[in-house]
Every structure is written in C-alpha cells, then in structure tokens.
Amino acid sequence: MVGIREIAKRANVSISTASYAINGSSKVKTETRDRILAIANELNYIPNMAGRTLKKQKTNLIGVYLTNYGGAFYGELVSGIHDFLHQHHYDVIICSSERAHTFIPEKMVDGAIILDSTFSTEKIESYAARGHQMVVLDRELSHQNVCSVLLDNRGGAKKALLALEKKVTKKIYLVTGPPGTYDSNERLAAAKKCLEERKLSYEVILGDFSKESGRQAAREILQKSEKEVGIFCLNDEMAIGMYSVFQKSNWKIGKDIHIVGFDNIEVTHYLRPRLTTIDYSKSDWGKAAAEKIYFMLNGKQPSNQLVDVKLKGGKSVGSI
Amino acid sequence: MVGIREIAKRANVSISTASYAINGSSKVKTETRDRILAIANELNYIPNMAGRTLKKQKTNLIGVYLTNYGGAFYGELVSGIHDFLHQHHYDVIICSSERAHTFIPEKMVDGAIILDSTFSTEKIESYAARGHQMVVLDRELSHQNVCSVLLDNRGGAKKALLALEKKVTKKIYLVTGPPGTYDSNERLAAAKKCLEERKLSYEVILGDFSKESGRQAAREILQKSEKEVGIFCLNDEMAIGMYSVFQKSNWKIGKDIHIVGFDNIEVTHYLRPRLTTIDYSKSDWGKAAAEKIYFMLNGKQPSNQLVDVKLKGGKSVGSI
C-alpha cells in the first residue's frame, strides 16, 4: 500500500506537509494542498484508522453505549464522561445499535461504558473473557474486566417512600419502568420491601418509563381509587405524564394525590407544583464511569461504585 | 497475522462457530466458547474493524458531529438520523471532539453529518476535495460532495417578529447566540432587516444561547428599559433564563414584556405563561439529513434542503 512518504516524495514536500494536507490542516496553502491531494488520489492512498490500530494496538477511543438517544439525562451524563476522558486524551463515540457492539471485539474502541438494556450480560461477559474492559451503569456483574458504577436505586426508593409515608396513610401506588430493566427492578424491590416492613397498603402498576404510561396509570388511579393516596413513579417522565391527567381532574396534586418521581430531570423544575423527586448528579455519574474505564485501561483495578442520591423536596407531596 | 481459520482448526470447530464465539454470540455453548477464546488469546488473534475496512473499503458507519452533547434538541435530531440510517443498514456514531474529525479522512466512517461549530469550513472543504461525502446542518457550502439541510432561520425570524410587532410599538430587543454561529447570524440578519424595513426601534444584546446569558439580558432590560417592550430571543434556552428574572420582578410576561423564542424545546411547554416560539420537527430535520447522506453514498446527488419552521403561539406575547 502506498504510504505518506511516497506521496511527500512525489509532491516534493516534507512528510509533515503531506500529512497536514491530507488531514485538512490549514497550515498548508490551498494550492499546495490541492496538489498533494491530487497525487494522493492518483496513488489511491488510503489513510485509515486501520493502519493506526494495527500499529499501535490502541485507538484511544471509548465507546459509550446507550439504549437509545432520547433519554432526558443522557446529555449531562455523556458530557461528564466526555469531559474527563477528553482531558486524558481519549475520545468518546456514542453508539446505540446492536451492530455497534462488535466495535469492542474488533478493537475499534479501547474500552466501553454501557447503559444499554439491549446489550446482553452474556455478551458483555464474553467480551470480558476476551480481555476487553468495560464499565457498566445498568447491571451488577462480577468480572475482573468489568467495573460497575450504579445509582443507589434502593437508597433512593427508601427516601421517596419516607417522604410519601409522612403524608399518606391510605395506599401507595408504585408505577414501574419496563419489566427487566435494572433501575426499575431495584427501585421496585426496595420500595416493596419498605412498604411491607411498615405494613402499608400498596399496589404495583406496570409502566414503561414513558409519559404516556404515566398518563395511563393516572387515569387508572383516578378511576379506581379514592383521594388521598400516594404515587411513587419510578422515573420523572411518568410523573410528568401524570401531571397532565391530574391537572385536568378535580384532584389537586399535593393535596388529594401525592407524587414522588426519580431522576430530577430538567423539565420537572418547571412543573407546578414542583415535583418531589430523587436527585443525583448525572455529570458526576458520567465522570465516575470515565474514571473507572481510564484506570482500568491503565492497568489498575478500580472498585465498583454506588452513586449517591438524595431527596429533592417539592410541593407535589403536601400536607393533607 | 493469525486468522479465524487457524483458530477454528486448532479448536476443531467450524469457522462459523469460531466466529460466533469470538463475537460473543449465545449460539455457542459457554464451554466451547471459553475453549475457543483461550486459543484465540494464545494465538494473539486480533479481530478488527481494520481488516474489514481494508477489504471492503466501507464501514457502513456514519459519523454525526455535534458541537457538544448538551443541546436540548440533540436527542430528537439524532434519533431521526439513527432511525432512517438503521433501516438502511448504516450505523451511527456520535462524536464531539476535534480529534474525531480525522475519522473522515481515515475512512473510519463512510460519510458524516455535521452540526458542529468547532468543525471549520476549510477542513470540510478539504475532506470534500478528497472525495469524502458530508451533510452540513449549520452552514452553507457549495461542493458536489457536500449537501446542506438547513433550518429556515430567516423565515422563522420573520414569523417571530410578526408576532411581536402586533403587540409591541415601543422597542424590540434581539438577544443573540454566540458570535459566528450560523443559526444566530441568520436569525439576527433577518430580524434586523425586518425591523429596519418597518422602521421599528430595536437594540441588539449579545448572548450565547445559554440560560445564564438570558438572565443577564433580562436584568439589563429591566434596568434600562421602560415596560411594554418586546424581546426576540434567538433560542429558547435564553428565553427560559429570562423567565426566571422577570418572574421575580413586577413585570408581567405577556403584558409588560413580550417574549418570543426559537426551537420549541420541551421545557418551554411547561413555562407559564407558555412561550411563543418557532417550532420545527427535530426528528424530521435528522431524517432529512440521513436521507441526503444515504443518497450521496449511493451515487446520487441530492439537492440542498430548507427545513420548514412555524410559529407556535403562547401567552408570552399578549395584548397590551
């Protein structure tokens, strides 16, 4: 294959000039650049990641795998990941598709951060067995090549219920995320345990973390329940959906119905009454994940981490 | 270099079994997989994108370049891009760093979609000259390898001012984005032209598209202006920042002060009074960009496109 050396020679320029021209640097005059590019094209020169990867066995890329691109807190999370890694000379690529999983065994990325329910634990284990290093944000997994940075979902659920219990004596509804998702399962298990210990009446309504499922749950509660009940929505999106239904009913949020969410996403700051929810720093979560993968790639064995959460009080839980 | 054929031979399995094992497929028993992986490791087998790229000269990857990861409408835009391309057997990677720009000349991506103010036009032109194909969402650029899909910023600015003019006779403030950004420049130019044609008094306040710059502009207006003026914020984020300042003053939004934003981001739906803003479909914008790059990669020469925008009326512009 033709190398940059030959292009430089034919163009009668230095190797660095040829390299600048090919990489589109403004350090080379347009005229010179065009001449170099014409020679490169003529010789069918292919600069590529491939060559670099084979030589260095490293791409300095970290793959961040998300279930989809729509999550309200992804921006802050990914910014937290990016900022840390960029400072440490790694670049981040964000992926969301099954085919992109193969970037890991193909060594297109040096490591991965995973918050992707479509990424099977079996596959992660198999990559780990091959020596690939990963940080998981959405499951527990014990392997020397995998480190987890998880939200304190159980602690958050307890705090949410503690807030509700003070105001609600009748019944508490738990509205879940999609079945099988780690965050939803953890929050639900902790909430049920809490309520059973305190012998409080509760009912589980199946949701899917979307606003629409929140609206459906609200309509169901309006239909079958009396006033003065509490709702723990396992994420904020569903709580936002609920607001739109209750605000059209004669049930007053914070009086007839008490709602707690989870995530403290930006939109909830503009709800009236303001939503009581479970808060955590999305960018700190991202930063912690970035630190772990960075340490792992540099031969260290960091320990798993739990990300602190706290109650963010709002008027959606009021006094009866 | 060791190939998959040799691994299969040593493990006494078929090539496809060896391949499944290495790619982490669940089709292979754990026991068999571990044995194959051990052999692959022993032989120092490196499956990589590199080999595939060199063979096929195609990665079926499209790079999406964003200025940062924080933009409120990125989720919908990227989902629109992803959904179309995924259906057409392309994968998307989202990048936001200068070093990632070189994925294009390195042919790690087959094409690129760019909404990234840190990506210089000169560099894009140089990549285009090398035969790389790109779709730009944030600049005008005439090259056979570049196609643009732009918001109708000028049309949007006119609609925003038309809404304000009906209610405001005194003065209109124009609060800009960061200097040099295409969307801000276009909106500002169209707004100024509109106001000059109608001989309306106006003043430009420099912002940077952040909430904080909106708050600063609001404080400046409160200090130096009389009531009954209008504000055209060149994006919604700044309008949201303004709300927090005016709502603490004795100026009533929609009565003493009239505000129009741009983007119709989700948070504005929860502002009271609801913000009048310029709306467009972020996912349609993404889909249009995806279609263009897909057509270009398949030998077609699609034409540039302007994305329609429309006024979304709210109570932030009221009657005096």
Side-chain angles (χ1 to χ4, degrees), chain B residues 282-294:
Chain B
K282 288 96 195 154
S283 62
D284 284 356
W285 190 17
K287 190 187 170 204
E291 282 174 346
K292 301 289 177 190
I293 195 71
Y294 176 73

Side-chain angles (χ1 to χ4, degrees), chain A residues 38-80:
Chain A
I39 291 166
N41 274 331
E42 199 190 311
L43 298 176
N44 199 22
Y45 172 72
I46 308 151
N48 59 25
M49 191 57 121
R52 290 210 289 171
T53 307
L54 291 174
K55 207 160 73 186
K56 292 192 296 182
Q57 283 295 314
K58 253 192 95 172
T59 59
N60 274 62
L61 284 180
I62 304 297
V64 175
Y65 292 86
L66 304 176
T67 310
N68 57 54
Y69 294 114
F73 60 83
Y74 285 165
E76 282 173 74
L77 178 85
V78 173
S79 296

Side-chain angles (χ1 to χ4, degrees), chain B residues 157-172 190-191 193-200 230-231 258 260 317-318 320:
Chain B
K158 274 183 215 161
K159 284 171 184 167
L161 285 172
L162 217 61
L164 276 177
E165 277 171 25
K166 284 181 191 158
K167 307 295 174 186
V168 180
T169 47
K170 283 191 180 166
K171 189 172 191 171
I172 289 177
K193 185 163 172 280
C194 224
L195 290 163
E196 279 159 17
E197 278 170 7
R198 286 169 179 75
K199 299 196 191 339
L200 279 165
I231 306 174
H258 305 268
V260 182
V317 180
I320 295 175

Side-chain angles (χ1 to χ4, degrees), chain A residues 128-185:
Chain A
R130 286 272 301 145
H132 301 292
Q133 296 179 304
M134 289 159 285
V135 171
V136 290
L137 308 186
D138 58 355
R139 70 198 78 201
E140 286 161 43
L141 207 159
S142 182
H143 192 288
Q144 61 166 2
N145 288 326
V146 181
C147 182
S148 68
V149 183
L150 302 173
L151 286 183
D152 183 11
N153 285 304
R154 288 176 179 263
K158 275 183 215 161
K159 284 172 184 166
L161 285 173
L162 218 60
L164 276 177
E165 278 171 24
K166 285 181 191 156
K167 306 295 174 186
V168 180
T169 48
K170 284 190 178 166
K171 188 173 193 172
I172 290 177
Y173 289 94
L174 305 172
V175 187
T176 76
T181 52
Y182 179 76
D183 287 338
S184 177
N185 289 354

